[in-house]
Every structure is written in structure tokens, then in C-alpha cells.
Amino acid sequence: MALIVQKYGGTSVGTTERIKNVARRVAKWKGQGHDVVVVVSAMSGETNRLIALAQDIQEYPDPRELDVVISTGEQVTIGLLAMALKEIGVPAISYCGWQVSITTDTAHTKARIGSIDEERMRGDLNEGRVVIVAGFQGVDENGDITTLGRGGSDTSAVALAAALKADECQIYTDVDGVYTTDPRVVPEARRLKTITFEEMIEMASLGSKVLQIRSVEFAGKYQVRLRVLSSFEEEGEGTLITFEEDENMEKAVVAGIAFDRNEARINVKGVPDKPGIAYQILGPVADANIEVDMIIQNFGENGATDFSFTVPRGEFQRTLTILRDVQTHIGAAKIDADDRVVKVSIVGVGMRSHCGVASTMFRTLAEEGINIQMISTSEIKVSVLIDEKYLELAVRVLHKAFGLDAVSVA
Amino acid sequence: MALIVQKYGGTSVGTTERIKNVARRVAKWKGQGHDVVVVVSAMSGETNRLIALAQDIQEYPDPRELDVVISTGEQVTIGLLAMALKEIGVPAISYCGWQVSITTDTAHTKARIGSIDEERMRGDLNEGRVVIVAGFQGVDENGDITTLGRGGSDTSAVALAAALKADECQIYTDVDGVYTTDPRVVPEARRLKTITFEEMIEMASLGSKVLQIRSVEFAGKYQVRLRVLSSFEEEGEGTLITFEEDENMEKAVVAGIAFDRNEARINVKGVPDKPGIAYQILGPVADANIEVDMIIQNFGENGATDFSFTVPRGEFQRTLTILRDVQTHIGAAKIDADDRVVKVSIVGVGMRSHCGVASTMFRTLAEEGINIQMISTSEIKVSVLIDEKYLELAVRVLHKAFGLDAVSVA
């Protein structure tokens, strides 16, 4: 007997048939004696349809009114899922965000949850009902409807689990867990039984889009036991996201290999090595709302230095145009650029206590003749920028070098 | 400077282009210095789409959850209309039913409005905003979403006008007012500048589907000045629905001719003329949820009588089956039935003080050789049931006989 919060995404509730499937899955948990709270997204495609309607009227829709419109997607799903549960004899009741006081700040389209009033839900659970709550939405202090941004339903689920002190928050998605790397690149990739919050955040921010990153941060902050599962498989325990390294568990130093194809490198060569030069280069780029990822400045000699950074590929040409405008002003000798690069990262809390992880990475890549163009590191990850043609090779050899090719632990 | 409540139906807001048109019309009233509150329906087709989704899951959808689902239609429209007004520089704000406390009873899918908290809307109006409210929906004492039934947006508008003590409630629709009869049947039909509430209720209940009948009753109860206008014409003053006969106005005895094609007649002949016979015949029909319209029992002779009533055509066969089951039990000699009949009615408060109106009707029909099968009367209407092949002829000759063919008063 546990209290479980389950979240089903847009694909899992994309048709009335799939909603019936979700109802059967929820009924199974309920039948095992658990209390179940379900958070759902809009049916897949619905949010985009609503945004298109809004943009038909305003190029940049008014945020308050956009939230009024797009929050209806989840509202439709909660009603339909409640019907599907009742249809198979399971008592259920649906709530919009405002009905269970999911209060947020007033930042429309990207609001943050402040508090949740769990009293009404607790009453329903005590009377044996499955409680269904609309994800992605809340209500602010003015009584206005707010939404939490794309993927916000994950955050809704975690916040509800925290408020209800649930035993587990299960995120049902179209993958069956978190993998050591993308199985489409490395067939030997295996599902992780556990991953720490810190690793999950690095994996998520590096392009493994299993969970919305804010929901993982939220779960870490409120110590919510979080599990990623497939909504299309009957069995399977998915991946549990843990708060700390489990000492009893034989844990690999590196948890996984993440990669990101959306990178382009800019190298500003021979700039005067003086204070303020980084700002003179990146200031105009930031002013143009271009998000810079990796940044590296080499130690200079003869009063000149090289300055490198990466931007999303879609912003590559625009960034170059901006820099060529300021090149003379900042006194740069040359601008070298390449949009055929990728970022490959090894992630793992184990590397905190194991030296030599980075050097193993560099040696492994060198043995394959893969040139490293840029390096950046954090406490639990090492990222390298390489030519995109080496992506698959790099991920495969690193996966093997760090012992991730082992037989599945599942 | 007046406070106007305007209501636009599903056809008027059926596309984003049409929503922009509504915004321009609202802006025009606002530009003339009026305070404007707008009530909107769901975009045409949307409510049916949502009901179909629900019925895909439950043949008879749970009423509470159905209200959660179908109330989203109006919610989308209010957000879009607010955007459209802002886009042309008119300050506007949208509210769902619960946000302005349109409180109803708990009768899901057919709730009745109890009260409205106008304070927040009053504040917006004072600050120069157009207030947009979702029609068709409210919230009950449990904080659950309710809906008011088909056409409920008319009632929402009237209730808001009553709560705000608006100077006028304007119902924009796809006709430009209330006519003396259907112009498709009688080309000489003309738009009425005014009609009384009682006449409007009789016209509406007799098949002139311009306004939801409950909204007219509501307007009468709270003395709301109600006007029906076309949303597709720029000019035109529509039809004003008045509280009492205007003494100064030259008023025809009969305001209009209504008709209803959805009738089928059942005649139970030779039943014993004893107490309880009506119940024995109609009880089983009512138990089958079949709505009976006209009911007539003739004075009997020789201890036997004839009993006649009408039902909607779609229920004709089912009603016959039920009656044949009980025929022996009630001791009826014969059942005669006809589903090729129509009801034609003359409506007008003037007939209260003018005798001879009914006889003029009967004579007019007799002169054309039209046989009357049943008659029923109320204080301000006389209805006859006739063979459907005479419908157009009957309406035309009555329209002329009661002086309705006059040159338009517009």
C-alpha cells in the first residue's frame, strides 16, 4: 500500500484508445491496493493546434490569454481519463490546476509552482478515488490561469508528489528508462536501473530528453523518489532516480555518454590579450539573444590570444555576421568557424573520487585518431567538441572504454 | 455612455477571421464610449468534437467529467477574442465562469445560474477594459465546473446583464432579428422592431429558434432589456424584446406565425371514459422518456372516449410500439396515427383583449379547405395540427389574414 503519483505524456494519451490503455494501467495499480494520483498532458498535437490558433490572431500572443487557451488541452484529457476509469468501474475525479490550488508566480507561459493544497485530493484518496490532475497548469495570486512551459507536466507531477509526500513519482514516457547512451547509436547501450539526480540533470541538459530538467531539480530539492517508465510496455521497472550514490551498489564510474548534435564552433583568433575582451566578443552575441554553450579562452602569448565558443547550429550564420561587424573594432586577426561539430560528454558522480577519468576519455579518442577541438568540464562530467563525422565512433568507443557495454543489469 | 453586454454565438466566432470581425465590432461600441462585456460560445463544431471524444470513451459520459471537457470550447474562444482586441489596441481581459463566480446548482450539463460576483468585472470596466466571459459555463458550490445546456451562452449573457445592471443585452446571431414568420416560407415576412417577452417565449418554444427559451425567461424575470441582432450585418437595430405592450405603438393583434414540423399524432380511439385513463395511456410513454406535446381528450359518449396526443417524429414508431403493448390492457378499440402532421400557431399578447382571433384563424384555414386535426390554446396563442402538405399554404394565408404582410416597419 503506497501513494503513487503517475504522469502520462501527450503520446501516451494521444488517442481515446490510448487513454483507455492508461486507465487500465492505473486500474492495475489501484487494484494492487495503492492510492493513485494521475497527472496528464494534452493529447499529442493539441497544444500545437491551440498555439497555431493564437498565432493566427497575434504573431506574439498575449501571454495571459495564451495560457487561458493552451491550458484547455490538459483539461480535456483529465475529463476523458476520468470517464475511462469510471467506464471500467474505478471511482475517479478530475481536477484542473486551480481546483487543487496549484499556485504559481505570475510568469505566464513559464510560471513556477509555489504551493499546492492537497486537502481535497487527500479526501478523495481516502474515499477510494483515483485523483486526476491537469499537468502543465496552475493559478496565480490574481486567480489567473498560468502554464509552466513545455514539458511542465513532469514538474506538475513531481510537485504533487512532494505536496502529497508520495512514495514514488512515476513518469511514463515513450522510452522504458534512462540509457547509458542512445541505443540508436550504440546497440549495446543498456537501461540504467538507477541514476543519481546530478547525473540525470547533466544527461538531460546534454540532450537526453527523457525528463524536463526543472522537474528533476524539483524532485531533488523535495527528495521525491522519481522513476521513468515506458507507457507502452506492461512490465519493466524503468530507471529510478536516486538522491545519492548507493554504497551497496556496484556503480560504474561513468553513468552514461551524452551527446549533442546542435553545436557550431566559432574561433576568434589573435585578439588582444587584455581585460574585457570576452565581453567585447560575447556582448553583441548575447544582445542578439543567441545562447552560447561552451566558452574557452586560451592562455595568450605575445599579447594576443584565441577565444572560442559554441552556439546552436541555427544561429551559426547570424553569429558570424555579428562577429564580422565587430572584428575590426576588437582587433581580431581572424575568425575561424565550423558548424560540423558535435559535443560528446561522459557523465558520472563516480568521477569525483576517481582520477584519470578525463585522461581515459582523451586517450580513447586519440587511439581512434579523433581530434578534440574544445574541452569543458564540471565536477561530474567531461565534454569534448569533435568533428561530427566521428560522433558514432566516439560514443561507441567511450561506451566500451568505461565498461558500459556490460550485460544488462535488468 | 451605457453598459452593454453582447453575446456572440458559435457561428459568429467560427474561425479566427470571424473572431477578428467580432473584435472590430466590439471596438466600435467601445470607441463610442460604452462599457462592453462580451459573452462568447465555443467556435462552431468544437462542442460537438468534444462530445464525440467523450462518447468514444463512454456511451453516456459521466456528467461532471463531460462538463470539464466541453467547457474548454468557450475557454479557447475567450482567450482568442481577448488577443484579437489587444491586437487592435483595445484593452481586454478574459474570464472563465469560475473566475467571475458564475455559481450554479450542481445539475451537470443543465445547471442553472444562482449568482454572479460582478466586482472584478466592475473593476476592469472602470479601468477601461473590455471584459470577455465564457458563456455556457459556471461553477457549483463544490468548485466543480458546470455547463448550462445547449444554447446556454444566451442565458450567461442575460444573467451577466442582470448582475451588472446593464443597459442592454445584445444577442448577436446569424439572423437580423425576430420575424413575423419564417421568411423562407413567406417572403412577405418582416422583422419585428419589438416583441414582448411572453410572445417571444411562445415563438421560441414553438420552433423559432432565435434565442434559448430559458434566457428569455431569465431576461423577463430580471427585467433585462434584450435585443437580437445580426453579427454579419454592420447596421440594423434588430428586434428589441420588451417587458410590456407599448401603448403608444400601433400593435398588431397577432405578432407572428410559428410552426413546428417535428410532430406526429397518435389517436387512441374508444377507450373507456373513466378516471385514470389518461395516466394509463401516457404513463408508459413518459416512462420511456418520450416528450408529449399537445394532449386532447374529447368528451365521450356511450362510456367511451377518444384520446389524442403528439410526440416528436423521431419517437413515433417507439410510441406506437409502447401503445400496442398496452392497448388490450386499457381496452382501447383502435389506435390511429399519422406522422405527416405539422403544428401552426398564431402568437400575440393582443389576442387577450381581442375576441374572435381564434375564429378568424379557423375560418381562414377552412376557406382554403385545410382540415384541423387538433387544437390547443393558451392565453396568447392558438395552435392547430394540420396535414403537413398544407403547411406553407396555412402559414401564408394566416400571415396575410392577421395583417402581417404590411410594408416593413424598419
Side-chain angles (χ1 to χ4, degrees):
Chain A
M1 275 278 294
L3 171 52
I4 313 282
V5 174
Q6 303 188 328
K7 180 257 170 179
Y8 294 91
T11 316
S12 308
V13 295
T15 63
T16 47
E17 260 332 295
R18 287 188 176 176
I19 289 172
K20 291 177 192 174
N21 284 337
V22 167
R24 279 188 284 270
R25 184 178 292 258
V26 171
K28 203 172 136 190
W29 283 86
K30 180 81 184 134
Q32 287 163 2
H34 301 296
D35 285 338
V36 188
V37 173
V38 185
V39 176
V40 285
S41 301
M43 295 170 79
S44 53
E46 184 61 9
T47 306
N48 286 338
R49 182 183 77 85
L50 293 166
I51 289 174
L53 278 176
Q55 287 177 337
D56 222 22
I57 289 187
Q58 281 194 300
E59 191 181 350
Y60 301 103
D62 179 83
R64 180 193 184 276
E65 302 301 339
L66 185 62
D67 279 353
V68 169
V69 172
I70 60 179
S71 61
T72 60
E74 283 72 20
Q75 188 172 328
V76 169
T77 319
I78 57 170
L80 295 179
L81 181 57
M83 290 175 200
L85 278 161
K86 291 189 166 203
E87 182 69 11
I88 56 173
V90 179
I93 189 162
S94 77
Y95 292 118
C96 299
W98 59 271
Q99 290 177 304
V100 289
S101 302
I102 300 185
T103 50
T104 69
D105 57 24
T106 61
H108 285 289
T109 76
K110 48 181 187 293
R112 282 172 181 266
I113 295 175
S115 66
I116 294 176
D117 177 8
E118 90 283 9
E119 201 181 327
R120 189 166 179 182
M121 292 183 277
R122 193 79 71 184
D124 289 311
L125 293 172
N126 288 344
E127 287 172 32
R129 288 184 202 105
V130 169
V131 173
I132 302 160
V133 181
F136 179 63
Q137 61 180 247
V139 63
D140 70 12
E141 59 190 15
N142 306 315
D144 289 339
I145 296 171
T146 54
T147 66
L148 312 178
R150 282 273 160 161
S153 291
D154 289 349
T155 307
S156 303
V158 172
L160 280 164
L164 290 160
K165 297 178 184 59
D167 296 286
E168 193 166 292
C169 180
Q170 303 176 337
I171 309 287
Y172 287 86
T173 175
D174 48 6
V175 298
D176 69 347
V178 180
Y179 275 69
T180 50
T181 194
D182 188 337
R184 285 169 300 189
V185 171
V186 183
E188 292 82 10
R190 58 186 171 77
R191 182 174 55 76
L192 292 162
K193 282 181 76 165
T194 65
I195 186 172
T196 70
F197 276 94
E198 291 161 295
E199 289 167 343
M200 189 65 206
I201 288 170
E202 290 288 4
M203 293 290 273
S205 62
L206 291 168
S208 299
K209 294 177 190 68
V210 176
L211 281 178
Q212 194 206 22
I213 192 162
R214 210 201 307 167
S215 72
V216 181
E217 290 166 358
F218 210 100
K221 185 170 169 194
Y222 292 98
Q223 302 272 302
V224 172
R225 192 179 155 96
L226 195 60
R227 191 184 290 276
V228 176
L229 294 147
S230 165
S231 62
F232 298 111
E233 287 177 16
E234 267 310 305
E235 305 299 329
E237 58 179 21
T239 298
L240 180 68
I241 299 159
T242 58
F243 305 111
E244 48 203 27
E245 289 171 83
D246 189 333
E247 296 296 332
N248 296 325
M249 202 176 289
E250 196 174 337
K251 182 85 185 165
V253 175
V254 168
I257 317 285
F259 55 84
D260 192 348
R261 285 188 172 94
N262 188 24
E263 297 274 352
R265 174 181 58 81
I266 315 268
N267 199 352
V268 188
K269 285 176 183 286
V271 291
D273 191 5
K274 61 179 184 189
I277 193 70
Y279 176 73
Q280 281 183 39
I281 295 172
L282 291 185
V285 177
D287 289 347
N289 265 321
I290 295 167
E291 208 173 319
V292 173
D293 180 18
M294 301 170 86
I295 303 172
I296 284 170
Q297 187 176 348
N298 288 345
F299 186 78
E301 50 183 323
N302 303 325
T305 188
D306 292 353
F307 188 92
S308 303
F309 60 96
T310 65
V311 294
R313 282 192 190 177
E315 305 287 7
F316 182 61
Q317 287 304 335
R318 205 153 67 92
T319 311
L320 279 182
T321 307
I322 290 167
L323 285 177
R324 280 182 185 131
D325 280 353
V326 297
Q327 181 175 2
T328 316
H329 175 66
I330 59 179
K334 189 185 162 194
I335 292 172
D336 178 54
D338 188 356
D339 67 344
R340 298 287 167 208
V341 292
V342 291
K343 184 170 67 172
V344 176
S345 310
I346 55 173
V347 176
V349 292
M351 62 179 76
R352 273 186 195 139
S353 50
H354 288 75
C355 41
V357 173
S359 66
T360 301
M361 183 187 200
F362 303 153
R363 190 192 66 233
T364 305
L365 295 175
E367 283 171 4
E368 300 295 335
I370 299 171
N371 185 45
I372 297 172
Q373 302 185 15
M374 288 172 76
I375 299 171
S376 94
T377 60
S378 81
E379 212 186 343
I380 66 162
K381 78 148 205 281
V382 182
S383 301
V384 298
L385 198 75
I386 60 173
D387 188 315
E388 69 168 6
K389 72 182 174 191
Y390 294 124
L391 172 66
E392 289 78 7
L393 176 61
V395 174
R396 267 201 311 273
V397 295
L398 290 171
H399 199 265
K400 185 164 191 179
F402 286 104
L404 300 173
D405 276 1
V407 177
S408 171
V409 294
Chain B
M1 273 278 296
L3 171 52
I4 312 283
V5 174
Q6 302 187 327
K7 181 259 171 177
Y8 294 92
T11 315
S12 309
V13 294
T15 64
T16 49
E17 261 332 295
R18 288 188 175 175
I19 289 173
K20 291 177 193 174
N21 284 338
V22 167
R24 280 189 282 271
R25 185 178 290 258
V26 171
K28 203 171 136 188
W29 282 86
K30 179 82 185 134
Q32 288 165 0
H34 300 297
D35 285 337
V36 188
V37 173
V38 185
V39 176
V40 284
S41 300
M43 296 169 77
S44 52
E46 183 63 9
T47 306
N48 286 339
R49 183 184 76 87
L50 293 165
I51 289 174
L53 278 177
Q55 287 177 336
D56 223 21
I57 289 186
Q58 281 194 300
E59 192 182 348
Y60 301 103
D62 179 83
R64 179 190 184 276
E65 302 302 338
L66 185 61
D67 279 353
V68 169
V69 172
I70 60 179
S71 62
T72 62
E74 283 71 20
Q75 188 172 329
V76 169
T77 319
I78 57 170
L80 295 179
L81 180 57
M83 289 176 200
L85 278 162
K86 289 187 166 202
E87 182 70 9
I88 56 173
V90 179
I93 189 163
S94 77
Y95 293 116
C96 298
W98 59 271
Q99 290 178 305
V100 288
S101 302
I102 299 183
T103 49
T104 70
D105 58 23
T106 61
H108 285 289
T109 76
K110 49 181 185 297
R112 282 173 181 263
I113 296 176
S115 67
I116 293 177
D117 178 8
E118 89 284 10
E119 202 182 327
R120 189 167 179 181
M121 291 183 278
R122 193 80 69 185
D124 289 312
L125 293 172
N126 288 343
E127 287 171 32
R129 288 185 203 103
V130 170
V131 173
I132 302 159
V133 181
F136 179 64
Q137 60 179 249
V139 63
D140 70 12
E141 61 190 12
N142 306 314
D144 288 340
I145 296 170
T146 54
T147 66
L148 312 179
R150 281 275 160 161
S153 292
D154 289 349
T155 307
S156 303
V158 172
L160 281 163
L164 290 161
K165 299 178 183 60
D167 296 285
E168 191 165 292
C169 180
Q170 303 176 336
I171 308 288
Y172 287 86
T173 175
D174 48 6
V175 297
D176 69 347
V178 180
Y179 274 70
T180 49
T181 193
D182 189 336
R184 286 168 300 188
V185 171
V186 183
E188 292 81 11
R190 58 186 169 78
R191 182 175 55 77
L192 292 162
K193 282 182 78 165
T194 64
I195 186 171
T196 70
F197 276 92
E198 291 161 294
E199 289 167 342
M200 189 65 207
I201 289 170
E202 289 289 4
M203 293 290 272
S205 64
L206 292 169
S208 299
K209 293 177 191 68
V210 177
L211 283 177
Q212 194 206 22
I213 190 161
R214 211 198 312 164
S215 72
V216 181
E217 291 167 358
F218 210 102
K221 184 171 169 193
Y222 291 99
Q223 301 273 303
V224 172
R225 194 179 155 96
L226 195 60
R227 191 183 290 277
V228 176
L229 294 148
S230 165
S231 62
F232 297 110
E233 287 176 17
E234 268 309 306
E235 305 299 329
E237 56 178 22
T239 298
L240 180 67
I241 299 159
T242 58
F243 304 111
E244 49 203 26
E245 290 172 84
D246 189 332
E247 298 296 333
N248 298 323
M249 201 175 290
E250 197 174 336
K251 182 84 184 164
V253 174
V254 168
I257 317 287
F259 55 85
D260 192 348
R261 287 189 171 90
N262 188 25
E263 297 274 352
R265 175 182 58 79
I266 315 267
N267 199 353
V268 188
K269 288 178 182 287
V271 291
D273 192 5
K274 62 180 186 189
I277 194 69
Y279 176 73
Q280 281 183 41
I281 295 172
L282 291 184
V285 177
D287 289 346
N289 265 319
I290 295 168
E291 208 172 319
V292 173
D293 180 19
M294 301 170 86
I295 303 173
I296 284 172
Q297 185 175 348
N298 289 344
F299 188 76
E301 50 184 324
N302 302 327
T305 188
D306 291 352
F307 190 91
S308 304
F309 59 97
T310 64
V311 294
R313 281 193 192 176
E315 304 288 7
F316 182 61
Q317 286 305 333
R318 206 153 66 92
T319 310
L320 279 183
T321 307
I322 290 167
L323 286 177
R324 279 180 187 133
D325 279 354
V326 296
Q327 182 175 0
T328 317
H329 176 66
I330 59 181
K334 188 185 162 194
I335 292 172
D336 177 53
D338 187 356
D339 66 346
R340 298 286 165 210
V341 292
V342 292
K343 184 171 65 172
V344 175
S345 310
I346 54 174
V347 176
V349 292
M351 64 178 77
R352 273 186 194 139
S353 50
H354 288 74
C355 40
V357 173
S359 66
T360 302
M361 182 186 201
F362 304 153
R363 190 192 65 229
T364 305
L365 295 175
E367 283 171 2
E368 300 295 333
I370 300 170
N371 185 43
I372 298 172
Q373 302 185 15
M374 288 172 76
I375 299 170
S376 95
T377 60
S378 81
E379 211 184 346
I380 64 163
K381 78 149 206 281
V382 181
S383 301
V384 297
L385 198 74
I386 59 173
D387 189 315
E388 69 169 6
K389 72 182 176 192
Y390 294 125
L391 172 66
E392 289 78 7
L393 175 62
V395 174
R396 267 202 310 273
V397 295
L398 290 172
H399 198 264
K400 185 164 189 177
F402 287 104
L404 300 173
D405 275 1
V407 178
S408 171
V409 294

